[in-house]
Amino acid sequence: MAPSKSRPTTTILRGGRLIDPASGLDATGDIVLEGGRVAEMSTARGALSTRADAEVLECSGLIVTPGLIDPHVHLREPGGEHKETIATGVAAAAAGGFTTVCCMPNTNPCLDNAALVAFVHQRAAAAGLTRVFVAGAATEGRKGERLAPMASMAAEGAVAFTDDGDGIESASMMHKVLATCASLGKVFMQHAQERTMTAGGAMNAGAVATRLGLGGWPAVAEELMVERDVRINQGIRARYHVQHVSSGGTVEILRRARAAGHTVSGEAAPHHLLLTDEACEGFDTNAKMNPPLRSRADVEALIAGVADGTIDVLSTDHAPHSTDEKALDFASAPFGIVGLECALALYAKALVHSGAIDWARLIALMTINPARLLGIEATGLGSLRQGGPADVTVIDPELAWTIRTADFKSKSRNCPYDGWSVKGKATAAFVAGRRIL
Amino acid sequence: MTPPKRDFLQIRGLSRDRLQELIEATLRHRALMSAAEDPEHNWDWTAAPRPLAGKIIANCFLEDSTRTRCSFEVAAQRLGATTINLTASGSSTSKGESLADTARTLAAMGVDAIVVRTAASGGAMLVADTVDCPVINAGDGRHEHPTQAILDMAVLSEWFGGIEQLVGKTVCIVGDIANSRVARSATHALTTLGADVRLVGPPTLVPPSLAHLTQRHGTVEVHHHLDAALDGADAIIMLRLQLERAAGGAVANDYRTHFGLTPHRFSNLPATTPILHPGPMNRGVEIDNTAADHATQSFVTEQVGMGVAARMAVLMNLLNPSRLSCWESLTQAVR
């Protein structure tokens, strides 16, 4: 369905399965979007006040949820506009049913000051589809040498801090960053990669890398940094979040840390929940990502981590790269995979159809949990409640479709999913009551 | 209908029959070369047909090479083809042109085959996916070096008295296995032909994951103690210690003591154990002169000659399968 840019009107979503994990609601009902807000919600048949001029969307058999939130995307602007722009990135997000995304700062120049945070907000507002929040760089130029002006960026609206694309190598700098994040009440998101263990690495260290003659990138590189950070954060108690968890070992570290009361969390991406390093056979650069695809045991450990709540947020790590860049030889090609437009179906395949979790839990991992991670839940994003923002996604859980990368709204096509038959799709989405899908 | 393009990219996945076909063709070409060198035979290359006359073969060597590049060149010219040579320095690759674009450019000039050597693992496959002419892998990064494996198998077959004699033999490959395309291709070939392989070296150069390299008829074992590995070995392939890769500190200065083919170790081997080395050798590091230059046990020079034969066999196989039979009857006759 083509996104409509018409002015906000009154919309009634009728007869859908309303799932709001924040309040525990899971019942058939109606919801009225008006003036950018949720004007009314009812699970009693015919209880809504009638509105003659309202658009009515029949949602019988569909799931109506808070707008989906992706806390980890790369929109590439400024500096990487041949891969993606903020406008094409939010178009991809909208097509995937996401009403809010949080973009990473590894642009060129990188988002390490308030002016660039404001720039992203302006571009996103001009695009007018999915809401965009910014994760600012924690250190100047993401170099890990000197603190970035995090307080100024926070004042400009940055919701999180990270040097994503790189981990913060120095333990001492990590301490400073966590202390600053704690004082600002913002989450720190770590790209966990101990660099001395990944030099020359192009894919998971293991039998496939050995066979192909490609440099290995061991799981311990991720685990080491997470272990260290949990230790550093012990006395600081900042909110510490591990991005794109790829290793079962990391899941175990997070499980223990959470049980011990540490303020830590972790996210998983669709590719790490579905694919293994076998996907790199034939030197397929679409299977090259950072962190790399790992073993079947890691995939199973990640799914178990999602099922028991150790991993409580899902993110795509949408990382567009041009076809030319991905046409280089495997070691030279850039790391990354796009994900926004097929994420929901892939999560459903990995987690719901496999029986690991149910739809209500999946919705929580894509709505209220990322909202809390980003500290935006107080605005009402991530939940469905009367008077809250009219950010809503409608999902057809039974819709079977085929992923066609040629149809992507994203500028880039880099993923190994072309031609996959999947089930489950967002069929409508609203931001502040305005339809974006 | 045009038949599907034929490439020669890797040993992994080749059937035993296909491998045998190439090794036998290599041995026939080697016999022809011997005949040309032998004054007893009233035959030399001036009398030879030119089965690849009119063909142009592009040797695209983006990584340094002496023997492989020259060997492909000699092979092509013996068969009547002309060659053009492209190296990394002095070509557009030094200006940042991608491997695929370089290959596309060569193909657009209408060359009949591209022989590619690149530092990129998977680079030969990338070229083959890009162009319509046959592509031969002359070594791609740490991935494979399939013509080296063909020539090594031909040398071993000749020594043991037939390809089928390799079944049940144990071959040690010693050195920097992790970084070696030669070791990978040789392991795929040996295990396909029924030989068992011991990969030998320090754990930093021979990680345990190498034991899962392949699952063919022969077995693959990882060994970190050379003397134990040599016990019962029927043949030894020594690899060059890639000193340029040793920058990561993965090689200790006691390498020779523990993994070199020293005079002492060599003297303990049966006199029938052949020693192969793909070259170039680091004398005094992985191999000492006693072994490297031994009159009957060192096959280093024989490997170079067999290398030309192997490349002739592969070029003929890819470029002129229809005339293969008449060319082969000649090689039979000369033999």
Side-chain angles (χ1 to χ4, degrees), chain A residues 150-164:
Chain A
M150 286 190 268
S152 303
M153 285 189 274
E156 192 62 50
V159 293
F161 294 100
T162 177
D163 275 2
D164 183 37

PDB file of all heavy atoms in Angstrom, chain A residues 150-164:
ATOM      1  N   MET A 150      28.696  14.969  25.035  1.00  0.00           N
ATOM      2  CA  MET A 150      27.474  14.166  25.202  1.00  0.00           C
ATOM      3  C   MET A 150      26.338  14.972  25.836  1.00  0.00           C
ATOM      4  O   MET A 150      25.174  14.810  25.474  1.00  0.00           O
ATOM      5  CB  MET A 150      27.780  12.920  26.030  1.00  0.00           C
ATOM      6  CG  MET A 150      28.552  11.878  25.245  1.00  0.00           C
ATOM      7  SD  MET A 150      28.656  10.309  26.132  1.00  0.00           S
ATOM      8  CE  MET A 150      30.168  10.532  27.004  1.00  0.00           C
ATOM      9  N   ALA A 151      26.681  15.856  26.778  1.00  0.00           N
ATOM     10  CA  ALA A 151      25.633  16.641  27.441  1.00  0.00           C
ATOM     11  C   ALA A 151      24.925  17.535  26.429  1.00  0.00           C
ATOM     12  O   ALA A 151      23.695  17.658  26.433  1.00  0.00           O
ATOM     13  CB  ALA A 151      26.233  17.469  28.582  1.00  0.00           C
ATOM     14  N   SER A 152      25.705  18.157  25.529  1.00  0.00           N
ATOM     15  CA  SER A 152      25.105  19.027  24.508  1.00  0.00           C
ATOM     16  C   SER A 152      24.249  18.220  23.548  1.00  0.00           C
ATOM     17  O   SER A 152      23.172  18.649  23.134  1.00  0.00           O
ATOM     18  CB  SER A 152      26.191  19.755  23.716  1.00  0.00           C
ATOM     19  OG  SER A 152      27.003  20.489  24.584  1.00  0.00           O
ATOM     20  N   MET A 153      24.740  17.055  23.184  1.00  0.00           N
ATOM     21  CA  MET A 153      23.952  16.206  22.269  1.00  0.00           C
ATOM     22  C   MET A 153      22.668  15.751  22.958  1.00  0.00           C
ATOM     23  O   MET A 153      21.600  15.735  22.337  1.00  0.00           O
ATOM     24  CB  MET A 153      24.787  15.003  21.808  1.00  0.00           C
ATOM     25  CG  MET A 153      25.834  15.367  20.766  1.00  0.00           C
ATOM     26  SD  MET A 153      26.636  13.903  20.044  1.00  0.00           S
ATOM     27  CE  MET A 153      27.926  13.610  21.231  1.00  0.00           C
ATOM     28  N   ALA A 154      22.763  15.399  24.233  1.00  0.00           N
ATOM     29  CA  ALA A 154      21.569  14.992  24.979  1.00  0.00           C
ATOM     30  C   ALA A 154      20.567  16.136  25.021  1.00  0.00           C
ATOM     31  O   ALA A 154      19.358  15.934  24.836  1.00  0.00           O
ATOM     32  CB  ALA A 154      21.950  14.539  26.388  1.00  0.00           C
ATOM     33  N   ALA A 155      21.076  17.353  25.223  1.00  0.00           N
ATOM     34  CA  ALA A 155      20.186  18.515  25.265  1.00  0.00           C
ATOM     35  C   ALA A 155      19.506  18.719  23.917  1.00  0.00           C
ATOM     36  O   ALA A 155      18.372  19.202  23.841  1.00  0.00           O
ATOM     37  CB  ALA A 155      20.986  19.759  25.654  1.00  0.00           C
ATOM     38  N   GLU A 156      20.177  18.325  22.844  1.00  0.00           N
ATOM     39  CA  GLU A 156      19.608  18.465  21.498  1.00  0.00           C
ATOM     40  C   GLU A 156      18.681  17.305  21.169  1.00  0.00           C
ATOM     41  O   GLU A 156      18.044  17.292  20.117  1.00  0.00           O
ATOM     42  CB  GLU A 156      20.762  18.566  20.483  1.00  0.00           C
ATOM     43  CG  GLU A 156      20.375  18.993  19.086  1.00  0.00           C
ATOM     44  CD  GLU A 156      19.755  20.392  19.015  1.00  0.00           C
ATOM     45  OE1 GLU A 156      20.348  21.325  19.574  1.00  0.00           O
ATOM     46  OE2 GLU A 156      18.679  20.519  18.404  1.00  0.00           O
ATOM     47  N   GLY A 157      18.617  16.327  22.052  1.00  0.00           N
ATOM     48  CA  GLY A 157      17.669  15.226  21.847  1.00  0.00           C
ATOM     49  C   GLY A 157      18.281  13.870  21.594  1.00  0.00           C
ATOM     50  O   GLY A 157      17.556  12.903  21.349  1.00  0.00           O
ATOM     51  N   ALA A 158      19.611  13.757  21.613  1.00  0.00           N
ATOM     52  CA  ALA A 158      20.213  12.429  21.453  1.00  0.00           C
ATOM     53  C   ALA A 158      19.726  11.533  22.583  1.00  0.00           C
ATOM     54  O   ALA A 158      19.691  11.956  23.750  1.00  0.00           O
ATOM     55  CB  ALA A 158      21.736  12.518  21.467  1.00  0.00           C
ATOM     56  N   VAL A 159      19.345  10.295  22.249  1.00  0.00           N
ATOM     57  CA  VAL A 159      18.732   9.419  23.248  1.00  0.00           C
ATOM     58  C   VAL A 159      19.685   8.378  23.800  1.00  0.00           C
ATOM     59  O   VAL A 159      19.363   7.693  24.781  1.00  0.00           O
ATOM     60  CB  VAL A 159      17.487   8.710  22.687  1.00  0.00           C
ATOM     61  CG1 VAL A 159      16.374   9.708  22.406  1.00  0.00           C
ATOM     62  CG2 VAL A 159      17.836   7.927  21.410  1.00  0.00           C
ATOM     63  N   ALA A 160      20.818   8.215  23.137  1.00  0.00           N
ATOM     64  CA  ALA A 160      21.749   7.154  23.543  1.00  0.00           C
ATOM     65  C   ALA A 160      23.129   7.527  23.041  1.00  0.00           C
ATOM     66  O   ALA A 160      23.272   8.439  22.217  1.00  0.00           O
ATOM     67  CB  ALA A 160      21.325   5.817  22.941  1.00  0.00           C
ATOM     68  N   PHE A 161      24.133   6.814  23.558  1.00  0.00           N
ATOM     69  CA  PHE A 161      25.504   7.059  23.091  1.00  0.00           C
ATOM     70  C   PHE A 161      26.198   5.752  22.767  1.00  0.00           C
ATOM     71  O   PHE A 161      25.974   4.721  23.414  1.00  0.00           O
ATOM     72  CB  PHE A 161      26.288   7.872  24.126  1.00  0.00           C
ATOM     73  CG  PHE A 161      25.723   9.253  24.256  1.00  0.00           C
ATOM     74  CD1 PHE A 161      24.868   9.580  25.300  1.00  0.00           C
ATOM     75  CD2 PHE A 161      25.987  10.212  23.286  1.00  0.00           C
ATOM     76  CE1 PHE A 161      24.294  10.841  25.387  1.00  0.00           C
ATOM     77  CE2 PHE A 161      25.420  11.477  23.361  1.00  0.00           C
ATOM     78  CZ  PHE A 161      24.570  11.788  24.413  1.00  0.00           C
ATOM     79  N   THR A 162      27.029   5.821  21.735  1.00  0.00           N
ATOM     80  CA  THR A 162      27.731   4.630  21.252  1.00  0.00           C
ATOM     81  C   THR A 162      28.812   5.074  20.284  1.00  0.00           C
ATOM     82  O   THR A 162      28.685   6.114  19.644  1.00  0.00           O
ATOM     83  CB  THR A 162      26.754   3.678  20.526  1.00  0.00           C
ATOM     84  OG1 THR A 162      27.503   2.576  20.016  1.00  0.00           O
ATOM     85  CG2 THR A 162      26.060   4.352  19.361  1.00  0.00           C
ATOM     86  N   ASP A 163      29.856   4.281  20.143  1.00  0.00           N
ATOM     87  CA  ASP A 163      30.816   4.479  19.056  1.00  0.00           C
ATOM     88  C   ASP A 163      30.588   3.415  17.993  1.00  0.00           C
ATOM     89  O   ASP A 163      31.509   3.006  17.293  1.00  0.00           O
ATOM     90  CB  ASP A 163      32.266   4.431  19.573  1.00  0.00           C
ATOM     91  CG  ASP A 163      32.725   5.785  20.111  1.00  0.00           C
ATOM     92  OD1 ASP A 163      31.914   6.738  20.107  1.00  0.00           O
ATOM     93  OD2 ASP A 163      33.894   5.894  20.535  1.00  0.00           O
ATOM     94  N   ASP A 164      29.350   2.957  17.862  1.00  0.00           N
ATOM     95  CA  ASP A 164      29.025   1.792  17.034  1.00  0.00           C
ATOM     96  C   ASP A 164      29.787   1.785  15.714  1.00  0.00           C
ATOM     97  O   ASP A 164      29.934   2.796  15.049  1.00  0.00           O
ATOM     98  CB  ASP A 164      27.530   1.728  16.735  1.00  0.00           C
ATOM     99  CG  ASP A 164      27.177   0.483  15.931  1.00  0.00           C
ATOM    100  OD1 ASP A 164      27.784  -0.566  16.192  1.00  0.00           O
ATOM    101  OD2 ASP A 164      26.316   0.563  15.043  1.00  0.00           O
TER     102      ASP A 164
END
